[in-house]
Amino acid sequence: MFYRRSGIRHTRYQSERQLFPLGFDRFLILSVLAVLLAAPFLFDRLYVTGYLLPWLIWSSAALGLNLLMGGAGQVHLGYGAVMAMGAYGSVHLMRFGAPLELAMIAGGLISASVGIIFGAAALRVKGIYLAMATLAMQSIVDFVISQTPAISGGALATLQAPPARFLGISLSGERETYYFALLVCAVITLFMLNVRRTSFGRALAAIREKDYAAEILGISTLRYKLMAFWVSSFIGGVVGSVLAICYLRAVSPDQFHLDLSIQILAMVIVGGLGSVLGPFFGAALVLFAPILINNALGSAFSTFGMTVPIDLRAHLPLVAYGALVIGFLLYEPYGLAKIYSNVRTYLLVWPFRHAQR
Amino acid sequence: MKMTRRTFVASAAAGIAAPTICTTGAFAQEKVVRISAPQDFTRIYTFVTSEYSQGQRDYFTLINERGGVGGYKLVIDVSDHANDLPRAIEAYERGKREGAVAIDPLSTPVARALVPRALEDKINLITAYSGRSDAADGSVFPYVLPLSINYWSQAGLIVEQFKRIEKGSLQGKKLAFVHIDTPFGKEPLPILEVLAKREGFTLNAFPYTPPGNDQSAIWPQVRRARPDFTVFWGAAVGQTVALSEAIRNGLPMDRVSSSVWLSESDMDVVGRAAAKGVMKIEPCVGGREPKIIKDILAEVVGKGKGAGPEAKVGTGYYNYGVQMASLIAEGVRMAAQKAPNGPVTGPWLNAGLTAIKNFTAEGLLPPTTITPDDHQGGGMGRVAQWDGNKFVPITDWFTANQDVVWDEIRKYSAEFKKSGK
């Protein structure tokens, strides 16, 4: 009914090979994009700066990590450190007067070049051992930043992000920063959608499934593993600088600790490894479920006049949030994106049961 | 009755929507000053926050039961931000939308991210014992109000106290500064370095790795350095571990001091008798002696309106909460004096808060004067010593080395001004 899939055949290669071959998908994605574009005019500031902006930024970061984890099958527990290098690199460059466009790319390059060094560990170790190697990267980067006053910014360890302009537009207001984050997120999403259709993406997928089998097929694992780390760290660095300039506005070492890495890792896993849609769902759940449960419980208690000790009130949402995450993963281990895909597959030919492929 | 899926979904939706609609109109009739208090109850500060918040809420209940201040009722919205920036920023935006004129996040990372926003939106950001120390400079940070002695002042007070113990000269003495190896732990170092030069003592810094639950490697080194005085600087679990290690390594307890972050609860962990003699900085009176705490016990807790367990009333951090709440209430009173009919906005409350003069909250605080230039409130505190049962003040309210502290404050606020908007 929605997709009108039954009986439709593509008659040209171009129409079969486009990013979204089905009309309904194109309609859906364009309407979501339209809502996102109109959001600052439609919704209250609270929802734009409190929800949509962090959602876009964290989703972009999760997309970058997903290229590595879902795309190439390499575990990374230090993505927060990757973002930290991008954030610090670009903020420092901007304080020296570099324009944002350049500083952002340079931040990405700094992250990529350090990220690739630790990525080299992936050539020798796999799985849990690689997790430890990237965890070490997190600690080392944290340590270097907080021990070097020249990087962290002295005794207070806070660096203000200087006023930024992007292509001549000042990023000071809420709307400008939102649109800037939306633009970066859109570019990364487009890249992620397309990368799977390139030889690079297919090589990564082969390495994900079995690296020595890929080597036998003629894929240089050395080259592609390093490239995966390079690209993913570059995205992480760019998103780190967007995070610092659009959202945090002041960088300090504690913003990029292991907590951030775990948060982004959770987004990727809960959202769905290897999916492009997954990080968006994952970011929404991980960022907002605690807030919404907290607010709902809080107002429920106050409406029904219950006096709940504050400690219990603060911890109940965490219990509910934990149960929610476990519940989702039990129900569908492949993540939220898979739930969406199940529904979509069901509706493809609904109300009929089967259709020819 | 058989519940169909549709009725289930509809009732669930109604259940979620109902509370959000109901809360908005609750206080519409009265004149209200709304304070947003998203704090960290679940991640790092945990019990510190619950004691602090309990004190805050009990004091506001006391004021409201008495009919408010200057014709205004004080409403505090408490929520949990778990030290997580997206959650804190959401809470800040929500508070702003609901008309909050002050926000008290009680968290350094959160305060750092909120500083540019609060300055822009003209909302009073209360950064008691947290946030940027240079926010004491009100000319650069008009809407950031620590309202309490910052860490630099605390270090200045501690050195002054050591000097008093040594009868006026620290020449040739050795001071060990054992601190958590984070920006927070290193913050007092510049002040101590300047004072070491001025007073002629040698300063040895001993950093331990965060979170500080194992410090057994560092304390024997401290012992070997044979310091005349020891200052330990950390938070939460690091504090009790540091104190236990200091005791185990046989350092003389009456020459060991910490910042404001030491409380009765920590002493229970370390052992009340073993820690006898250790010193801390008291920014306000501890215990149940002050008149305000007695009033809270009689009029709030006694009537069953207390915000938490009665046993916590009068603990160190509880009283810090009361201290902050009383300063905010005094700010509202001053603001209402200046402009009785409001409108209640950030600048309105700011005018009140920066007009607080020699306020002691009936003996709870040192005389505190907030001016548009000095948001620290004068930098007064006192030193209290643990006698095995409670912290006993061993000095009067005093202030020391403020010249060094303000040099540092101005250095960083100038830097902020240069790089900011």
Side-chain angles (χ1 to χ4, degrees):
Chain A
M1 195 171 90
F2 301 111
Y3 290 89
R4 300 174 186 263
R5 182 81 170 87
S6 339
I8 290 194
R9 297 286 179 273
H10 294 287
T11 49
R12 296 162 68 227
Y13 284 123
Q14 286 99 315
S15 63
E16 172 106 58
R17 289 181 59 190
Q18 58 186 321
L19 261 186
F20 300 101
L22 299 187
F24 183 74
D25 281 339
R26 285 197 296 273
F27 164 75
L28 203 60
I29 206 148
L30 284 178
S31 18
V32 170
L33 196 62
V35 170
L36 285 179
L37 277 174
F41 303 96
L42 289 179
F43 306 125
D44 190 80
R45 199 188 118 129
L46 165 67
Y47 299 105
V48 177
T49 56
Y51 291 85
L52 287 177
L53 180 62
W55 179 61
L56 288 173
I57 296 173
W58 261 261
S59 300
S60 317
L63 279 171
L65 180 60
N66 207 5
L67 175 74
L68 194 60
M69 287 194 50
Q74 309 297 314
V75 189
H76 202 316
L77 288 186
Y79 210 64
V82 173
M83 291 169 72
M85 289 182 287
Y88 272 96
S90 55
V91 168
H92 271 294
L93 280 172
M94 285 176 66
R95 285 164 73 96
F96 282 118
L100 171 64
E101 299 86 347
L102 254 170
M104 212 168 79
I105 304 291
L109 288 176
I110 293 169
S111 293
S113 26
V114 180
I116 202 171
I117 297 172
F118 288 89
L123 302 174
R124 295 301 295 267
V125 293
K126 268 183 230 173
I128 198 154
Y129 302 99
L130 180 58
M132 294 309 291
T134 48
L135 197 60
M137 168 189 183
Q138 173 81 49
S139 309
I140 291 169
V141 172
D142 280 355
F143 182 81
V144 169
I145 290 177
S146 60
Q147 294 298 325
T148 321
I151 301 178
S152 69
L156 287 177
T158 312
L159 273 184
Q160 292 302 121
R165 304 179 72 80
F166 184 71
L167 300 180
I169 301 159
S170 168
L171 295 181
S172 53
E174 302 299 328
R175 284 182 183 163
E176 291 86 345
T177 47
Y178 170 78
Y179 282 121
F180 177 61
L182 182 62
L183 175 76
V184 173
C185 183
V187 170
I188 294 174
T189 311
L190 265 181
F191 172 77
M192 294 298 293
L193 281 171
N194 281 296
V195 79
R196 295 191 291 184
R197 299 141 59 99
T198 61
S199 65
F200 173 56
R202 290 186 214 285
L204 292 189
I207 288 171
R208 176 186 64 209
E209 298 305 326
K210 205 79 194 161
D211 51 1
Y212 55 80
E215 187 85 59
I216 291 166
L217 289 176
I219 295 163
S220 162
T221 45
L222 174 103
R223 189 166 157 233
Y224 281 102
K225 274 186 179 173
L226 288 182
M227 267 173 82
F229 270 93
W230 173 273
V231 174
S232 164
S233 304
F234 181 81
I235 295 176
V238 170
V239 177
S241 61
V242 175
L243 178 68
I245 287 151
C246 291
Y247 191 65
L248 301 175
R249 301 202 207 168
V251 282
S252 61
D254 42 20
Q255 291 159 343
F256 299 97
H257 276 178
L258 186 62
D259 295 357
L260 179 68
S261 303
I262 299 292
Q263 201 178 32
I264 294 169
L265 187 76
M267 286 170 189
V268 171
I269 292 174
V270 174
L273 276 172
S275 137
V276 176
L277 193 59
F280 289 93
F281 287 148
L285 185 81
V286 171
L287 283 181
F288 306 132
I291 298 177
L292 295 178
I293 300 171
N294 216 328
N295 291 344
L297 273 182
S299 48
F301 288 147
S302 62
T303 338
F304 299 117
M306 285 191 276
T307 45
V308 181
I310 185 72
D311 285 328
L312 184 63
R313 219 211 95 181
H315 282 90
L316 267 183
L318 287 185
V319 175
Y321 167 62
L324 200 67
V325 170
I326 294 173
F328 273 126
L329 286 182
L330 278 179
Y331 176 71
E332 185 51 78
Y334 290 105
L336 298 172
K338 182 69 178 164
I339 297 179
Y340 171 79
S341 138
N342 289 346
V343 173
R344 181 176 173 275
T345 320
Y346 176 76
L347 288 176
L348 267 183
V349 291
W350 186 82
F352 304 109
R353 290 211 147 210
H354 306 285
Q356 277 181 305
R357 275 252 149 222
Chain B
M1 194 188 89
K2 189 170 170 280
M3 198 167 196
T4 64
R5 191 176 295 176
R6 181 170 297 173
T7 50
F8 174 73
V9 170
S11 53
I16 291 166
T20 47
I21 297 163
C22 293
T23 46
T24 45
F27 285 94
Q29 314 305 324
E30 297 175 77
K31 281 162 75 178
V32 157
V33 175
R34 194 174 274 275
I35 296 126
S36 173
Q39 290 161 358
D40 172 20
F41 290 91
T42 51
R43 194 68 66 86
I44 297 171
Y45 303 97
T46 57
F47 82 94
V48 176
T49 311
S50 33
E51 286 176 16
Y52 176 88
S53 168
Q54 188 187 341
Q56 249 182 352
R57 283 175 295 152
D58 278 350
Y59 184 79
F60 285 137
T61 314
L62 177 75
I63 292 289
N64 289 340
E65 291 288 303
R66 288 175 173 177
V69 49
Y72 289 90
K73 287 265 162 83
L74 301 166
V75 179
I76 179 164
D77 294 322
V78 181
S79 59
D80 174 35
H81 65 49
N83 231 10
D84 186 30
L85 289 173
R87 287 180 70 175
I89 289 170
E90 192 269 352
Y92 167 83
E93 294 286 344
R94 178 175 298 276
K96 200 177 100 186
R97 196 174 72 137
E98 286 168 356
V101 289
I103 177 164
D104 181 3
L106 192 69
S107 152
T108 295
V110 168
R112 280 189 185 130
L114 290 183
V115 162
R117 290 176 167 81
L119 290 178
E120 232 172 76
D121 300 333
K122 295 191 171 34
I123 288 184
N124 299 284
L125 176 65
I126 313 290
T127 58
Y129 314 116
S130 57
R132 304 176 63 105
S133 287
D134 59 354
D137 187 352
S139 60
V140 177
F141 298 94
Y143 286 91
V144 186
L145 299 115
L147 306 181
S148 56
I149 45 174
N150 64 24
Y151 292 117
W152 291 333
S153 292
Q154 292 172 33
L157 289 175
I158 291 172
V159 170
E160 177 64 20
Q161 171 62 15
F162 289 163
K163 197 172 158 187
R164 288 181 182 181
I165 291 177
E166 285 294 328
K167 312 253 179 318
S169 168
L170 285 172
Q171 201 68 39
K173 299 290 171 191
K174 274 189 266 182
L175 190 149
F177 177 65
V178 187
H179 64 95
I180 188 166
D181 201 4
T182 61
F184 155 73
K186 285 188 285 197
E187 206 174 316
L189 270 173
I191 297 294
L192 291 174
E193 276 159 11
V194 174
L195 288 178
K197 262 191 215 127
R198 188 202 275 182
E199 304 289 343
F201 62 87
T202 32
L203 172 71
N204 285 320
F206 297 92
Y208 61 80
T209 45
N213 43 15
D214 181 16
Q215 302 171 22
S216 46
I218 202 82
W219 283 92
Q221 293 178 35
V222 178
R223 187 188 59 199
R224 253 174 260 135
R226 298 184 173 278
D228 295 294
F229 296 98
T230 309
V231 179
F232 63 100
W233 208 273
V237 64
Q239 289 290 78
T240 51
V241 175
L243 194 49
S244 323
E245 289 288 342
I247 295 166
R248 186 184 325 199
N249 283 284
L251 295 170
M253 275 297 116
D254 55 354
R255 295 187 161 217
V256 175
S257 178
S258 188
S259 57
V260 298
W261 295 125
L262 205 58
S263 79
E264 291 82 358
S265 317
D266 294 327
M267 296 304 162
D268 288 333
V269 179
V270 175
R272 285 176 168 254
K276 196 174 163 190
V278 67
M279 290 177 282
K280 74 171 238 179
I281 296 288
E282 265 191 347
C284 64
V285 182
R288 292 183 171 191
E289 290 309 310
K291 185 172 171 298
I292 284 190
I293 307 291
K294 282 184 180 152
D295 289 353
I296 288 177
L297 279 168
E299 294 174 42
V300 179
V301 180
K303 289 182 186 161
K305 287 174 181 163
E310 194 185 333
K312 294 286 178 199
V313 176
T315 58
Y317 303 154
Y318 180 94
N319 286 18
Y320 296 179
V322 175
Q323 176 195 12
M324 280 307 123
S326 67
L327 282 165
I328 295 171
E330 177 69 7
V332 172
R333 199 177 67 81
M334 299 302 286
Q337 253 178 27
K338 288 187 167 188
N341 296 318
V344 179
T345 57
W348 176 82
L349 179 60
N350 193 268
L353 284 170
T354 50
I356 293 176
K357 209 162 178 215
N358 279 327
F359 177 64
T360 61
E362 298 172 272
L364 180 74
L365 320 181
T368 305
T369 303
I370 316 274
T371 67
D373 285 328
D374 175 11
H375 283 180
Q376 196 188 193
M380 299 260 258
R382 67 182 189 187
V383 179
Q385 194 165 31
W386 180 252
D387 75 346
N389 238 333
K390 58 180 189 303
F391 282 103
V392 184
I394 52 172
T395 67
D396 219 347
W397 300 117
F398 71 113
T399 177
N401 299 317
Q402 283 294 303
D403 50 337
V404 184
V405 172
W406 274 90
D407 281 349
E408 199 67 13
I409 290 173
R410 294 220 175 80
K411 183 178 134 198
Y412 280 96
S413 64
E415 167 79 6
F416 178 87
K417 207 171 176 179
K418 202 174 72 194
S419 65
K421 307 280 161 182

